[in-house]
Amino acid sequence: MASSAHALAEAKPASRDKYVDLLRVASLGTVVLGHWLMAAVSVRGDGRAEVGNLLAVEPRLQLLTWALQVMPVFFFVGGFSHALSYRSLRRKAGENGENGEDGKNGGAALYSVFLRARLQRLLRPTVVFIGVWGALALALQLAGKEGGLLDVSLRLVAQPLWFIGIYLAMVAFTPPLLRLHDRYGWGAFGGLAAAAGLVDVLRFGFGVPYVEFLNFAFVWLAVHQLGFLRADGKLRRPYLLAGAGLAGAVLLVAYGPYPLSMVGMPGEKISNMAPPTFALLCHGLWLVGGVESLRGPARRWLRRPRVWRAVVAANGVSMTAFLWHLTAMLGVYGALLALGVRLPEPATGVWWAQVPVRVVVAGAVTALLVTVFRRFEQPSAVVLGESGVSPAGARPAAALGVTLCLFGVLGLSMVGFGGLLEGRTAVLVAVRVTAPVAVAMTLAGWLLVERAGRGRSLAA
């Protein structure tokens, strides 16, 4: 991996924005570390293990989520990368004499190839993760193995898939939202932000049912739109964005119905995360403004060859590490319980003293899992032209595929891998889903995206 990272680092063009790569790695790494720290595993009086949330045990620590809830940064970086990628494909299509974006066949091919190119490193490791855990869950159920930490693990390991679902939507909406950005600039972002605020007014002020779920789109797509502005060099005074976002979040939490925590808490009536609130959007603004304000010193640091090689290496396996990090953490706790090690009460002095050891061991197990599964994250060549379906059918096939994947992984993140044979269900918005249906939707959607976007090389 070291030699590969060195070669990749040397191959990156000098014009590449290295800071964006650093933000992608740092944001996912912070999420992983946060999950490892928040997991509060304890053993009840009847001997059954349960996984709680450290922030519920120590509510004073919820303020830390204002720095550690960094998913907005990842989605912001996604917007930047998607804008550059789509524009690059559009230019290559023009150089090859393909129909333009608005052409009937050329637009369909461009959209389907863009989806496949952006989703390869996302969906392939995700499908492998779902396949491995699905087979394991089914084998354990057939063998009659259940209860304790195992049942919790079958539910928890799937929860981070919500992020995959949201990211799928961002990729799918990039072409139309990029056109809006090209036409209206900051106005496109303002429209999405205003829509997110209106949703909260209807939700909290008028009690309109189900309207809050619209903010899964408005809040996260508004953050994603900031990435477009970054790609065009329009975030010139990030400290103003940070100040406005922080002030807005403080006021909303202090005087509104919004909780302090910027991550979901067990048993809370209102969550800033699920569904997202306008307070979370303000939080995202302050984070984006904050990291952009640090761009200058970070770029100077990234000029060091060793630092840049480390960032390149981490980027190459970041999605695999994200998918498997909870598996590693729960595996560590499972091994401790199997060895008869007494777990200290969460948030006690002994518990905090063991945190560094648990994190190091979980990191080592994650590295082992990455070694096994990282090859599925390797992208293949970007292509444009003749696809596995007719040009007229490429766009709808790709759109249907990403939609199936979106609902499949979101459903699986809620229901988990437990109860595959009993048809255990969870409510996704207002629809009940089961794990088998969610898995089938994800696989079918992935195959559609792959088939619709496969074709000949742009260089051909």
Side-chain angles (χ1 to χ4, degrees):
M1 289 182 64
S3 59
S4 176
H6 180 80
L8 285 172
E10 293 296 325
K12 300 292 184 183
S15 60
R16 186 179 182 88
D17 195 323
K18 297 179 180 180
Y19 186 46
V20 168
D21 291 297
L22 175 63
L23 288 180
R24 183 183 296 110
V25 170
S27 56
L28 281 184
T30 302
V31 171
V32 168
L33 180 61
H35 285 169
W36 286 344
L37 292 176
M38 283 193 299
V41 179
S42 58
V43 179
R44 301 188 312 193
D46 60 1
R48 293 175 64 91
E50 62 179 10
V51 181
N53 191 315
L54 178 64
L55 300 180
V57 178
E58 283 289 339
R60 293 173 297 179
L61 296 177
Q62 292 179 18
L63 186 60
L64 295 177
T65 62
W66 287 50
L68 298 178
Q69 168 50 294
V70 294
M71 273 305 183
V73 175
F74 189 88
F75 293 146
F76 161 70
V77 168
F80 174 88
S81 300
H82 298 158
L84 296 186
S85 176
Y86 191 73
R87 287 169 174 170
S88 175
L89 276 176
R90 195 163 54 189
R91 284 193 302 271
K92 291 178 181 178
E95 292 169 1
N96 266 26
E98 302 284 351
N99 289 333
E101 182 180 13
D102 297 326
K104 182 178 179 182
N105 291 345
L110 184 64
Y111 182 72
S112 59
V113 172
F114 169 74
L115 283 185
R116 183 172 182 260
R118 297 308 301 176
L119 296 183
Q120 276 183 343
R121 290 187 57 191
L122 190 71
L123 284 181
R124 287 181 180 178
T126 300
V127 167
V128 171
F129 172 82
I130 291 173
V132 171
W133 262 106
L136 178 62
L138 187 60
L140 290 171
Q141 190 170 3
L142 291 174
K145 304 290 184 180
E146 58 182 11
L149 188 61
L150 180 59
D151 284 351
V152 177
S153 298
L154 291 174
R155 174 175 54 85
L156 283 183
V157 294
Q159 284 187 357
L161 293 177
W162 74 266
F163 152 78
I164 306 291
I166 299 299
Y167 202 77
L168 285 168
M170 290 178 174
V171 176
F173 281 106
T174 288
L177 288 179
L178 190 56
R179 287 194 292 271
L180 285 177
H181 164 78
D182 290 338
R183 184 171 182 179
Y184 298 108
W186 276 97
F189 162 78
L192 289 168
L198 178 60
V199 165
D200 275 14
V201 169
L202 295 175
R203 174 187 181 186
F204 298 118
F206 297 93
V208 178
Y210 299 116
V211 70
E212 64 268 25
F213 294 105
L214 291 175
N215 267 351
F216 275 113
F218 293 142
V219 168
W220 292 127
L221 289 177
V223 174
H224 187 250
Q225 205 80 4
L226 289 174
F228 296 168
L229 292 163
R230 166 71 157 77
D232 287 347
K234 293 183 178 180
L235 291 181
R236 297 187 182 92
R237 295 181 178 86
Y239 54 88
L240 294 180
L241 187 68
L246 183 58
V250 169
L251 290 173
L252 288 171
V253 169
Y255 299 105
Y258 305 95
L260 175 64
S261 175
M262 291 298 165
V263 300
M265 297 297 298
E268 63 184 356
K269 293 182 179 180
I270 297 174
S271 168
N272 280 320
M273 272 291 294
T277 63
F278 192 72
L280 183 65
L281 176 56
C282 290
H283 169 72
L285 297 183
W286 107 257
L287 278 182
V288 169
V291 298
E292 278 296 286
S293 299
L294 299 174
R295 190 195 314 177
R299 280 179 168 174
R300 290 190 291 272
W301 184 56
L302 286 166
R303 290 172 188 164
R304 302 178 181 181
R306 288 185 179 180
V307 174
W308 176 230
R309 286 197 296 269
V311 170
V312 170
N315 257 308
V317 298
S318 58
M319 191 52 56
T320 304
F322 175 80
L323 286 166
W324 291 97
H325 77 279
L326 282 183
T327 302
M329 180 202 71
L330 292 167
V332 170
Y333 275 110
L336 291 174
L337 292 173
L339 294 172
V341 177
R342 182 179 178 83
L343 299 180
E345 286 297 314
T348 61
V350 177
W351 187 91
W352 282 110
Q354 291 183 358
V355 164
V357 177
R358 289 197 301 269
V359 168
V360 169
V361 176
V365 176
T366 301
L368 179 61
L369 291 169
V370 165
T371 301
V372 174
F373 295 107
R374 68 186 178 93
R375 64 182 180 274
F376 298 106
E377 196 173 341
Q378 305 306 311
S380 59
V382 178
V383 294
L384 182 64
E386 300 173 0
S387 65
V389 296
S390 66
R395 189 194 298 268
L400 175 61
V402 77
T403 301
L404 288 173
C405 286
L406 166 64
F407 285 101
V409 296
L410 284 179
L412 197 55
S413 73
M414 300 187 70
V415 73
F417 292 100
L420 289 174
L421 299 180
E422 289 91 354
R424 187 180 300 172
T425 65
V427 178
L428 177 61
V429 187
V431 179
R432 289 200 168 273
V433 294
T434 65
V437 170
V439 170
M441 291 174 68
T442 304
L443 292 176
W446 171 62
L447 291 173
L448 276 173
V449 170
E450 284 283 315
R451 180 171 173 77
R454 190 178 297 119
R456 60 181 172 80
S457 171
L458 281 167

